[in-house]
Amino acid sequence: MLRINWWRSLRVQSFVAVITFGFLLVCLFIFYALPEQARWVNEGLSKTAQRSLQQLSTSVTTPLLTRQYAELYEQIDSQLEIQPNWKGIQVIDEVTKNQLYPLDTWQGTIERSDVVLSQQVLFLDKPLAKIILVANFTNEINESSKLHYTLIYSQFTILVIFFMALAWLVDYRITTPLRRLEFAFSKLAKGDFNCHVDRQQKNEIGSVINAFNKMAIEVQSNHQKLNRLRIEAESASKAKSDFMASMSHELRTPLNAILGFAQLYEYDEFANNIQKGNAKSIYRAGEHLLLLINDVLDLTAIESGNMQFNFDYVPIKPLIEDSVELVSELAKAQSMTLYTEGFDLLKGLNFYIDKRRFKQVMLNLLSNAIKYNKQNGEIYISCKILNNQQCEISVADTGCGFANDDISRLFKPFDRLGAETSKVHGTGIGLVITKELVERMQGKISVQSELNKGSCFSLTFNTFEQAGFSSNSDACVIKEKNFSANSLPILDVLVAEDQVTNQQVLKQQLTILGVRSTFVSNGEQAWQTLQNKHFDVLLTDIQMPLLDGFELTTRIRKDSRFEPLIIIAITANIVKKNLDDCHKVGMNGFLTKPVELVKLKSLLIKHTKTVVNSEVKTNQKPETETHSFDQLDLSVLRAMLGDDPAVHCMVFNAFLQTAGEQVKLIREYASCDDFTGIAFQAHGLKSSSKSVATIRLADICQEVETLAENKSVQSNLIEELELCFNAVIAQLSRYCQQYENK
Amino acid sequence: MKYVVAMLCLLQSSWLFSQEYTFGVVPQYESQKLNAIWQPLLKQVSEQTGVKIELITVKSIPVFEQAFANGEYDFAYMNPWHSVVAHEKQGYLPLIKDAGRSLQGVLVVNKKSGIDNLSQLEGAEIAFPAPNALGASLLMRADLALLYGLKIKPVYVQTHSSVYLNVALNSTKAGGGVLGTLKQQPKNLQQKLKVIYKTREISRHPIVAHPRVASEIQLKVQRAFLNIGESDEHKHLFAGIPIIEPSIATLAEYQQLTEWGLSAFYVEN
């Protein structure tokens, strides 16, 4: 929402206008009206006093002539008594210049505000005496000022009331409806179409509100239309992907035969050279076709969200060296030179990636660099460690390059930037797959290019240095061999996990491993349970109600009684910060969800120096099953729970019982914009869905959680979540049914 | 015949007592104030004597002078010099005087004038209230002229206050007044003045009776005034006039004014 600067607000402006006006009024009053009035009053009173003085001069003429000074005194005294603002009168004889009145010494003016008036007493045009009057009109001026003040006060009060009423009117008629409208706009912007604003006024504001309401309805219908079209387009796209996937798959079977038979010619004694040459051509064409089909398969897997990854900490140096090695023959054949740089920096560094997929990425970039290079061109492969725990691997060539404007087209399927007509073979989907793979492995890919000079593709990945975490699986494999399955002390494991599904999974896994397990739903319960019973290992979720995994660990590590307790975190958030935090609070290790049985086992062995008693088979079944359970990652499922469908179904049932409620809650929270609630529920659902190996649902939940934390969940994402969830429910039910039927 | 005479006598005496007498008062104040002062006293006198007395006030002294010169009043209250004139013209006789106070004129000069000797006033302007004001003017002028042989220029300024102001304001070198009025002036005025001469003393205003009033009536009235003056209950009636201690007045007391040669200074209207 746009924040309005306080001084731009209509409310503030009208208030300031009223204050300024009042201030000007007061200034006008104090600096102009009052002095002017005082001057005016002074003048008026002076005139009156002058007139009285004139009358006095007439009446004292006779006493002055006849020297009847007693009468003169009486007249003046009585005048002074009558006129309260006359402070004193002096009468001076014009002939002798004697002071005739008062008898005492003349004080003259005393105060600054005293006014002096004089009048000559004439008799037959001859001056007899001069009367000097000192008057002071301060009292009268004060009196009139008081009156004026009262007048101004009442005017000011009336004005203030008027302006306050005006301000209220502005507020009521304009500002408040505008704010309501603003609120409705922000609701609409968030996709909430329930933003009708009541139109209370029949004026311009009212018509604006009316127009807004109409617009909201229009936008809603357009949005619905778009949504419908999107769903249609998506289902069309999915149909296409499905078609392509099955087509590609179906194509591979006959291709196998073609390639196989073409190869046979090589060993056929009766075939002549021409036939052998033709068969070689058939083989090469078939090989190319197979490559294309594999690419198309990958692309469809990406588009349908079925791309599967086996994440692990992989030492990166040998992996890159391997890839370079693989293409070096090809490069040599095309008389190209490979330059490598900075590989030693990678020593001891791990990426958290799928090894096979990363290799695919590297090979793709390298083979592109060879394919699109000049004759006798050069290829540079360099590695750099960036500051922020990241590593950059770049592959640069000296080929024809492309313009900057084409970069956006680079990652579009089937767009080869004009290379379609060249002799270089390609489908135009390699880079699309590469980019998708890199991003799915939390990496970044960037391109720089200059036309006719060459291009440079760079990969950026987070690096990990943990000796403790890396190669867990390797350690497991080695140790597994060293211990006998029968010499096992029984471990007591406490599991703190709030999701019922996850509890089920872990329960099955720990049962398979022959470990005694106790389950609690939050950190607080875990703490209580620890007080009463001894445990060797604590498996704890990080995000839990009441007391989370970090706090629980902190509390445990403060208590010396629990020093030997092994604490292993189980988290779905594979963020480096999260992992660092695990170490910081004193955890011994961590497992990522979905928890693979092998890893769980190896961690337990590593930390407890004991052995779990079961052999875990991780061999994967053929992938043909996946397309009937496309929401389920069966390899992950097996890695977690082994091959027993009975165990799978127990976990699935736990998920089916609890997850529906979580989806419902997410939908309800979304309808009232309760982002904290959404994030919490999405996190729980993500965790559960990882435990039943429904990776796509987990990914969507992850997305919802991230967006909810940033308070920007879109309703279509929730719809997607629900669609995906429904598919998951259907498939899990079907899986259980199939098992029961068997 | 005896009865007839007795009857006549009775009749006459009843006529005598039922007759109404007039009482003139010198207009020192306006008539309202004079009424307020004199009416209660005369009422008391009437009650004690059974003689009906009517108070008559006039607006000005000349009218009053004219009136007593014509013998219009049976009784009158006037200044000593008027009583002398009234005696000469109509034979008025003094009945009551104030034994508590006497009349004495004073000559004042400005303290800063440096005058302390009468001889310094030779030919100077001297302020007086009026030509015939007894203590302040007549006695003073007579004294200055007859006893000290001074020639002065009299300036008549109506009131005693004006006399003192004239002196204080250096309008005239000296002024004639009486002690009573001098003491009544504001402090600041008094402080500017000093007395350099006092005249001879005479008795104050007398109450006089016209000779046509029967002597027993005169005596009765005189007795009543004296009684009132002695009575604690009624003494206050004299306070407003003012007479402090009423006592019997004699003609001789006032005749000395003639001897002092005041008539030469009296101004007839």
Side-chain angles (χ1 to χ4, degrees), chain A residues 451-615:
Chain A
L451 208 57
N452 299 323
K453 288 255 175 89
S455 45
C456 174
F457 287 81
S458 305
L459 303 175
T460 315
F461 278 86
N462 286 332
T463 58
F464 298 88
E465 282 183 56
Q466 355 39 0
F469 289 130
S470 66
S471 311
N472 280 342
S473 51
D474 298 342
C476 147
V477 174
I478 296 158
K479 285 192 178 166
E480 204 178 359
K481 285 173 189 162
N482 293 347
F483 287 91
S484 140
N486 297 324
S487 58
L488 293 174
I490 293 177
L491 282 177
D492 266 318
V493 176
L494 177 64
V495 183
E497 166 65 63
D498 58 328
Q499 297 297 323
V500 178
T501 315
N502 294 352
Q503 282 187 6
Q504 273 298 330
V505 172
L506 281 165
K507 196 171 203 165
Q508 295 307 326
Q509 289 176 331
L510 291 170
T511 312
I512 291 168
L513 296 176
V515 169
R516 248 201 317 259
S517 54
T518 308
F519 283 81
V520 289
S521 312
N522 56 53
E524 194 57 52
Q525 281 180 9
W527 178 250
Q528 295 303 328
T529 314
L530 280 170
Q531 306 301 316
N532 304 325
K533 201 180 159 195
H534 169 81
F535 289 97
D536 300 306
V537 177
L538 168 66
L539 295 178
T540 177
D541 191 11
I542 299 290
Q543 226 169 323
M544 281 184 298
L546 290 179
L547 191 67
D548 69 19
F550 291 138
E551 286 170 29
L552 175 64
T553 309
T554 315
R555 201 185 277 188
I556 290 171
R557 287 302 180 222
K558 275 183 192 160
D559 195 328
S560 57
R561 282 181 297 158
F562 304 118
E563 215 171 298
L565 184 68
I566 304 294
I567 304 176
I568 292 168
I570 304 175
T571 174
N573 289 340
I574 324 156
V575 188
K576 181 149 190 322
K577 185 185 169 300
N578 224 343
L579 307 186
D580 289 345
D581 285 345
C582 288
H583 273 296
K584 224 176 273 172
V585 297
M587 287 177 173
N588 300 76
F590 78 94
L591 284 165
T592 54
K593 288 179 188 172
V595 178
E596 287 179 34
L597 196 49
V598 177
K599 287 184 184 167
L600 174 62
K601 181 180 164 187
S602 66
L603 257 189
L604 287 179
I605 290 169
K606 180 184 167 197
H607 288 294
T608 59
K609 305 282 185 284
T610 55
V611 173
V612 285
N613 67 354
S614 169
E615 279 199 15

Side-chain angles (χ1 to χ4, degrees), chain A residues 73 99 101-106, chain B residues 188-189 192:
Chain A
Y73 271 58
Q99 175 180 305
Y101 186 95
L103 207 54
D104 301 316
T105 321
W106 173 240
Chain B
N188 59 345
L189 181 53
K192 287 183 187 287

